[in-house]
Every structure is written in C-alpha cells, then in structure tokens.
Amino acid sequence: YEIPKRDWSSDVCSSDLVATLVLFLFFAGCSSPEKTSSSGAAVSSTPADEKAALQIMTETAKAQDAYFKRNRRYALEFEELVEARDIKSVPSSSATGYDFKLRPAADAQTYKLIVEPVNGSTTAKHFFTNEKGVIHAEQGKEATADSPVAGQ
C-alpha cells in the first residue's frame, strides 16, 4: 500500500497569513502602553514606599561593607551583591515605587546609592547614601551628600 502524496502548498494561502498578522498586530496594539518618565525610565503605578526604600538602603550599605571587606572594593552593581549572597535580590521599583541606582567610583573604592521615586511625585522623598552609610533625604528633588540627614 502506498500513501498518497499531498500538496501542502494549497492548504495555507498568503491571505490567511496576512489576516493572522493583522489580528496579532491589532491585539498587541490594544494593550495599555507602559508609562515612562522624562528620562525614559518606566514609571511605576506603585506609590513610593519610603520605609521599604530606607530598609533596602540600610541593607545595601551593610552588604557593600561586607563585600568591601572580602574583595577590597565595593560591588559595581546589585547583581554582584546578590551573587555574593549579601542581599537576597536586586531592588525592585515595581515593589517599592523607587528606582535604585548604584554608582561606584571608577576605582570602586567609593560608591553612591541614589534612590528616587519612579512615579514623578513632587511630595515623595528622594534619598542618597554612600560608603559612609549616612542616608540623606530631599522632598521633591534629588538628594545629595549635602542634603539633610533622613529622619532629622
């Protein structure tokens, strides 16, 4: 018994493919667009959780101290602290409403941690710390080492 050969080219025509593509693009366009800040970063709908941000900053400062003692330099990025098991995970802006920016010096002998609300709030606090471990805060603008100490 011989199985008859089938001509598959006639089963799928180009108009079927075009219709499928049009539907896909239509439904992809119906999803809500991601909000972005003026810097182009994604904007979170999560309100800024100052307590969570301060806790993460304190944990990061302790982790950086431990990392420095072992490696004679500070971690260049959060992933290094996670790999070294000094912190559990990279800080999440979707969970805290804050964006965490770790900025080491070129020689990794100092660092800055800049924490800013991602929702563009003018009332949320901005935070700053460095290898000294003192947390500074400003309301409605970027915090620096010259900003008032948080909680005072």
Side-chain angles (χ1 to χ4, degrees), residues 112-150:
K112 297 175 187 177
L113 177 57
I114 300 163
V115 180
E116 299 177 319
V118 293
N119 65 3
S121 170
T122 57
T123 58
K125 289 185 179 173
H126 298 239
F127 299 103
F128 171 92
T129 193
N130 57 20
E131 69 282 351
K132 295 176 183 174
V134 177
I135 298 175
H136 301 269
E138 289 282 357
Q139 190 163 347
K141 65 179 185 176
E142 187 175 325
T144 68
D146 297 326
S147 298
V149 174

Short mmCIF file of all heavy atoms in Angstrom, two decimals, residues 112-150:
data_model
loop_
_atom_site.label_atom_id
_atom_site.label_comp_id
_atom_site.label_asym_id
_atom_site.label_seq_id
_atom_site.Cartn_x
_atom_site.Cartn_y
_atom_site.Cartn_z
N LYS A 112 28.02 55.56 45.46
CA LYS A 112 26.83 56.35 45.79
C LYS A 112 25.63 55.46 45.50
O LYS A 112 25.63 54.69 44.55
CB LYS A 112 26.73 57.60 44.92
CG LYS A 112 27.84 58.58 45.09
CD LYS A 112 27.68 59.72 44.08
CE LYS A 112 28.88 60.63 44.11
NZ LYS A 112 28.79 61.69 43.11
N LEU A 113 24.62 55.59 46.33
CA LEU A 113 23.34 54.94 46.08
C LEU A 113 22.29 56.04 46.03
O LEU A 113 22.06 56.73 47.02
CB LEU A 113 23.01 53.92 47.17
CG LEU A 113 21.66 53.21 47.06
CD1 LEU A 113 21.51 52.48 45.73
CD2 LEU A 113 21.47 52.24 48.22
N ILE A 114 21.70 56.22 44.87
CA ILE A 114 20.70 57.26 44.64
C ILE A 114 19.35 56.56 44.49
O ILE A 114 19.20 55.65 43.68
CB ILE A 114 21.04 58.08 43.39
CG1 ILE A 114 22.42 58.74 43.57
CG2 ILE A 114 19.96 59.11 43.10
CD1 ILE A 114 23.04 59.23 42.30
N VAL A 115 18.39 56.99 45.29
CA VAL A 115 17.08 56.35 45.31
C VAL A 115 16.03 57.43 45.04
O VAL A 115 15.91 58.39 45.81
CB VAL A 115 16.83 55.66 46.67
CG1 VAL A 115 15.47 54.99 46.70
CG2 VAL A 115 17.94 54.65 46.94
N GLU A 116 15.29 57.24 43.95
CA GLU A 116 14.32 58.25 43.52
C GLU A 116 12.95 57.62 43.27
O GLU A 116 12.88 56.50 42.75
CB GLU A 116 14.80 58.92 42.24
CG GLU A 116 16.12 59.63 42.42
CD GLU A 116 16.63 60.24 41.13
OE1 GLU A 116 16.51 59.59 40.08
OE2 GLU A 116 17.14 61.37 41.20
N PRO A 117 11.88 58.35 43.59
CA PRO A 117 10.54 57.82 43.28
C PRO A 117 10.34 57.74 41.77
O PRO A 117 10.77 58.63 41.04
CB PRO A 117 9.58 58.84 43.91
CG PRO A 117 10.38 60.09 44.06
CD PRO A 117 11.82 59.67 44.19
N VAL A 118 9.73 56.66 41.32
CA VAL A 118 9.56 56.48 39.88
C VAL A 118 8.26 57.06 39.35
O VAL A 118 8.09 57.19 38.15
CB VAL A 118 9.66 54.99 39.45
CG1 VAL A 118 11.04 54.46 39.67
CG2 VAL A 118 8.63 54.14 40.16
N ASN A 119 7.35 57.46 40.22
CA ASN A 119 6.07 57.96 39.75
C ASN A 119 6.07 59.47 39.50
O ASN A 119 5.03 60.04 39.21
CB ASN A 119 4.94 57.56 40.71
CG ASN A 119 5.09 58.21 42.07
OD1 ASN A 119 6.00 58.99 42.32
ND2 ASN A 119 4.20 57.86 42.97
N GLY A 120 7.21 60.13 39.66
CA GLY A 120 7.30 61.56 39.39
C GLY A 120 6.65 62.42 40.45
O GLY A 120 6.38 63.59 40.23
N SER A 121 6.39 61.86 41.62
CA SER A 121 5.73 62.59 42.70
C SER A 121 6.60 63.75 43.18
O SER A 121 7.81 63.63 43.34
CB SER A 121 5.48 61.64 43.87
OG SER A 121 5.07 62.36 45.01
N THR A 122 5.96 64.89 43.42
CA THR A 122 6.68 66.05 43.96
C THR A 122 6.68 66.03 45.48
O THR A 122 7.39 66.80 46.11
CB THR A 122 6.03 67.37 43.47
OG1 THR A 122 4.65 67.37 43.86
CG2 THR A 122 6.17 67.51 41.98
N THR A 123 5.89 65.12 46.08
CA THR A 123 5.85 65.04 47.53
C THR A 123 6.67 63.89 48.09
O THR A 123 7.01 63.89 49.27
CB THR A 123 4.40 64.88 48.02
OG1 THR A 123 3.83 63.71 47.44
CG2 THR A 123 3.56 66.10 47.66
N ALA A 124 7.00 62.90 47.26
CA ALA A 124 7.79 61.77 47.73
C ALA A 124 9.23 62.19 47.96
O ALA A 124 9.76 63.07 47.28
CB ALA A 124 7.74 60.63 46.72
N LYS A 125 9.87 61.55 48.92
CA LYS A 125 11.26 61.87 49.23
C LYS A 125 12.22 61.16 48.28
O LYS A 125 11.96 60.05 47.82
CB LYS A 125 11.58 61.50 50.67
CG LYS A 125 10.91 62.40 51.67
CD LYS A 125 11.34 62.07 53.08
CE LYS A 125 10.65 63.01 54.06
NZ LYS A 125 10.91 62.63 55.44
N HIS A 126 13.33 61.81 48.03
CA HIS A 126 14.46 61.25 47.28
C HIS A 126 15.55 60.99 48.31
O HIS A 126 15.72 61.77 49.26
CB HIS A 126 14.96 62.26 46.25
CG HIS A 126 13.94 62.62 45.21
ND1 HIS A 126 14.16 62.41 43.87
CD2 HIS A 126 12.70 63.17 45.30
CE1 HIS A 126 13.11 62.82 43.19
NE2 HIS A 126 12.21 63.29 44.03
N PHE A 127 16.32 59.92 48.10
CA PHE A 127 17.34 59.54 49.10
C PHE A 127 18.71 59.39 48.45
O PHE A 127 18.84 59.14 47.26
CB PHE A 127 16.95 58.22 49.77
CG PHE A 127 15.65 58.29 50.52
CD1 PHE A 127 14.50 57.75 49.97
CD2 PHE A 127 15.56 58.90 51.76
CE1 PHE A 127 13.29 57.80 50.64
CE2 PHE A 127 14.36 58.96 52.45
CZ PHE A 127 13.22 58.41 51.88
N PHE A 128 19.74 59.51 49.30
CA PHE A 128 21.13 59.38 48.88
C PHE A 128 21.91 58.78 50.04
O PHE A 128 21.70 59.13 51.19
CB PHE A 128 21.72 60.75 48.55
CG PHE A 128 23.21 60.74 48.32
CD1 PHE A 128 23.73 60.57 47.05
CD2 PHE A 128 24.10 60.89 49.38
CE1 PHE A 128 25.10 60.54 46.84
CE2 PHE A 128 25.48 60.86 49.18
CZ PHE A 128 25.97 60.70 47.90
N THR A 129 22.82 57.88 49.73
CA THR A 129 23.82 57.42 50.70
C THR A 129 25.08 57.08 49.94
O THR A 129 25.10 57.02 48.71
CB THR A 129 23.32 56.23 51.55
OG1 THR A 129 24.22 56.05 52.65
CG2 THR A 129 23.22 54.95 50.74
N ASN A 130 26.15 56.87 50.68
CA ASN A 130 27.42 56.47 50.08
C ASN A 130 28.12 55.51 51.04
O ASN A 130 27.48 54.98 51.96
CB ASN A 130 28.28 57.70 49.75
CG ASN A 130 28.55 58.58 50.95
OD1 ASN A 130 28.45 58.14 52.10
ND2 ASN A 130 28.90 59.82 50.71
N GLU A 131 29.40 55.30 50.83
CA GLU A 131 30.15 54.32 51.64
C GLU A 131 30.18 54.69 53.12
O GLU A 131 30.47 53.85 53.97
CB GLU A 131 31.57 54.13 51.09
CG GLU A 131 32.48 55.32 51.25
CD GLU A 131 32.25 56.44 50.25
OE1 GLU A 131 31.48 56.27 49.28
OE2 GLU A 131 32.85 57.51 50.44
N LYS A 132 29.84 55.92 53.47
CA LYS A 132 29.81 56.33 54.88
C LYS A 132 28.56 55.81 55.58
O LYS A 132 28.51 55.76 56.81
CB LYS A 132 29.90 57.85 54.99
CG LYS A 132 31.24 58.37 54.48
CD LYS A 132 31.30 59.87 54.51
CE LYS A 132 32.63 60.32 53.90
NZ LYS A 132 32.70 61.77 53.77
N GLY A 133 27.53 55.45 54.81
CA GLY A 133 26.32 54.84 55.37
C GLY A 133 25.28 55.80 55.92
O GLY A 133 24.26 55.37 56.44
N VAL A 134 25.50 57.09 55.80
CA VAL A 134 24.53 58.08 56.27
C VAL A 134 23.52 58.32 55.15
O VAL A 134 23.90 58.60 54.02
CB VAL A 134 25.22 59.40 56.66
CG1 VAL A 134 24.20 60.45 57.08
CG2 VAL A 134 26.25 59.17 57.74
N ILE A 135 22.24 58.22 55.48
CA ILE A 135 21.18 58.41 54.48
C ILE A 135 20.69 59.85 54.53
O ILE A 135 20.32 60.36 55.59
CB ILE A 135 20.02 57.42 54.71
CG1 ILE A 135 20.53 55.98 54.57
CG2 ILE A 135 18.88 57.69 53.73
CD1 ILE A 135 19.50 54.92 54.90
N HIS A 136 20.71 60.49 53.38
CA HIS A 136 20.26 61.87 53.23
C HIS A 136 18.96 61.87 52.44
O HIS A 136 18.73 60.98 51.62
CB HIS A 136 21.32 62.70 52.48
CG HIS A 136 22.63 62.72 53.18
ND1 HIS A 136 22.98 63.68 54.09
CD2 HIS A 136 23.70 61.88 53.10
CE1 HIS A 136 24.20 63.45 54.55
NE2 HIS A 136 24.66 62.36 53.96
N ALA A 137 18.11 62.90 52.68
CA ALA A 137 16.80 62.95 52.01
C ALA A 137 16.47 64.37 51.58
O ALA A 137 16.88 65.34 52.20
CB ALA A 137 15.73 62.43 52.95
N GLU A 138 15.73 64.44 50.49
CA GLU A 138 15.17 65.70 49.97
C GLU A 138 13.75 65.41 49.52
O GLU A 138 13.48 64.33 48.99
CB GLU A 138 15.96 66.23 48.77
CG GLU A 138 17.32 66.77 49.09
CD GLU A 138 17.32 68.18 49.69
OE1 GLU A 138 16.24 68.79 49.82
OE2 GLU A 138 18.41 68.64 50.03
N GLN A 139 12.86 66.36 49.70
CA GLN A 139 11.50 66.18 49.21
C GLN A 139 11.34 66.89 47.88
O GLN A 139 11.63 68.08 47.76
CB GLN A 139 10.49 66.74 50.20
CG GLN A 139 9.07 66.35 49.85
CD GLN A 139 8.13 66.53 51.02
OE1 GLN A 139 8.56 66.72 52.14
NE2 GLN A 139 6.85 66.48 50.74
N GLY A 140 10.95 66.13 46.85
CA GLY A 140 10.66 66.70 45.54
C GLY A 140 11.87 66.98 44.67
O GLY A 140 11.73 67.48 43.57
N LYS A 141 13.08 66.67 45.13
CA LYS A 141 14.27 66.84 44.29
C LYS A 141 15.34 65.83 44.69
O LYS A 141 15.27 65.23 45.75
CB LYS A 141 14.82 68.27 44.39
CG LYS A 141 15.35 68.65 45.76
CD LYS A 141 15.89 70.07 45.75
CE LYS A 141 16.54 70.42 47.08
NZ LYS A 141 17.15 71.74 47.07
N GLU A 142 16.33 65.65 43.80
CA GLU A 142 17.37 64.66 44.05
C GLU A 142 18.16 64.98 45.30
O GLU A 142 18.56 66.12 45.54
CB GLU A 142 18.32 64.60 42.84
CG GLU A 142 19.34 63.49 42.95
CD GLU A 142 20.21 63.35 41.71
OE1 GLU A 142 19.71 63.59 40.61
OE2 GLU A 142 21.39 63.01 41.88
N ALA A 143 18.38 63.96 46.13
CA ALA A 143 19.17 64.12 47.34
C ALA A 143 20.65 63.93 47.02
O ALA A 143 21.02 63.21 46.10
CB ALA A 143 18.73 63.10 48.39
N THR A 144 21.50 64.60 47.79
CA THR A 144 22.95 64.50 47.65
C THR A 144 23.58 64.34 49.03
O THR A 144 22.88 64.36 50.04
CB THR A 144 23.53 65.76 46.97
OG1 THR A 144 23.37 66.86 47.88
CG2 THR A 144 22.85 66.06 45.64
N ALA A 145 24.89 64.26 49.07
CA ALA A 145 25.60 64.18 50.35
C ALA A 145 25.41 65.45 51.18
O ALA A 145 25.60 65.44 52.39
CB ALA A 145 27.08 63.93 50.10
N ASP A 146 25.05 66.55 50.52
CA ASP A 146 24.81 67.82 51.22
C ASP A 146 23.36 67.97 51.71
O ASP A 146 23.06 68.96 52.39
CB ASP A 146 25.18 68.99 50.31
CG ASP A 146 26.66 68.99 49.95
OD1 ASP A 146 27.48 68.59 50.81
OD2 ASP A 146 26.98 69.37 48.81
N SER A 147 22.50 67.05 51.37
CA SER A 147 21.10 67.11 51.78
C SER A 147 20.99 66.79 53.28
O SER A 147 21.88 66.18 53.85
CB SER A 147 20.27 66.11 50.99
OG SER A 147 20.30 66.41 49.62
N PRO A 148 19.88 67.19 53.89
CA PRO A 148 19.67 66.87 55.31
C PRO A 148 19.67 65.35 55.55
O PRO A 148 19.26 64.59 54.66
CB PRO A 148 18.31 67.46 55.62
CG PRO A 148 18.03 68.45 54.55
CD PRO A 148 18.78 67.98 53.34
N VAL A 149 20.12 64.95 56.71
CA VAL A 149 20.11 63.55 57.08
C VAL A 149 18.65 63.11 57.22
O VAL A 149 17.83 63.83 57.81
CB VAL A 149 20.90 63.31 58.39
CG1 VAL A 149 20.76 61.86 58.85
CG2 VAL A 149 22.36 63.67 58.19
N ALA A 150 18.31 61.94 56.69
CA ALA A 150 16.94 61.44 56.76
C ALA A 150 16.52 61.25 58.21
O ALA A 150 17.28 60.80 59.04
CB ALA A 150 16.83 60.12 55.99
#
